[in-house]
Amino acid sequence: MAVTLNPYLNFRTGTREVMEFYQSVFGGELNVSTFADFGGAQDPSEADLVMHSQLTTPDLTLMAADVPARMELASGSTISVSLSGDEDAKLRGWYDALAEGGTVLEPLTVAPWGDAFGMVVDKFGTTWLVNIAGSGAGADA
């Protein structure tokens, strides 16, 4: 049996919008369940918050949820999501899409180790690291 590591992102609200954005970037199938769907809303105003969402693509699985007001939401998170591989065009496209409306921390350029590397905080505050293996000869973004 295989083991899979799946990033799980938490937001106070707005997870549906976040995951729809990620679906527009990565494609794939998005499943979203609210607290109301499972009878888990203790406060009626939170019934439509996302209890669990999962975006599944051939390349990755990403999960996220809204955190109700009664629960603590960790601030100053040290979690980043890393995308790596050797599919240059796909990874560059994802980097560009994630950067739109966000903040580029490191431009996607050839790094000292010879791969292309870049880092961006998307418009929802998630930090993404992109590493394209063997892209030393490729064009910089």
Side-chain angles (χ1 to χ4, degrees), residues 66-78:
D66 289 320
V67 178
R70 70 182 182 287
M71 299 171 68
E72 186 176 337
L73 177 63
S75 62
S77 175
T78 58

Side-chain angles (χ1 to χ4, degrees), residues 92 107-117 135-141:
R92 284 181 189 278
L108 185 58
T109 59
V110 177
W113 56 90
D115 295 347
F117 176 81
S135 290
D140 290 340

Side-chain angles (χ1 to χ4, degrees), residues 42-53:
Q42 293 182 8
D43 179 338
S45 69
E46 296 177 335
D48 291 330
L49 292 180
V50 174
M51 184 174 178
H52 176 73
S53 63

Side-chain angles (χ1 to χ4, degrees), residues 19-68:
M19 293 301 280
E20 287 172 352
F21 169 71
Y22 293 152
Q23 185 181 32
S24 77
V25 172
F26 302 114
E29 181 179 340
L30 177 61
N31 292 303
V32 178
S33 301
T34 65
F35 282 91
D37 292 338
F38 291 100
Q42 293 182 8
D43 179 338
S45 69
E46 296 177 335
D48 291 330
L49 292 180
V50 174
M51 184 174 178
H52 176 73
S53 63
Q54 180 170 320
L55 176 62
T56 305
T57 80
D59 300 300
L60 58 91
T61 298
L62 185 63
M63 300 175 186
D66 289 320
V67 178

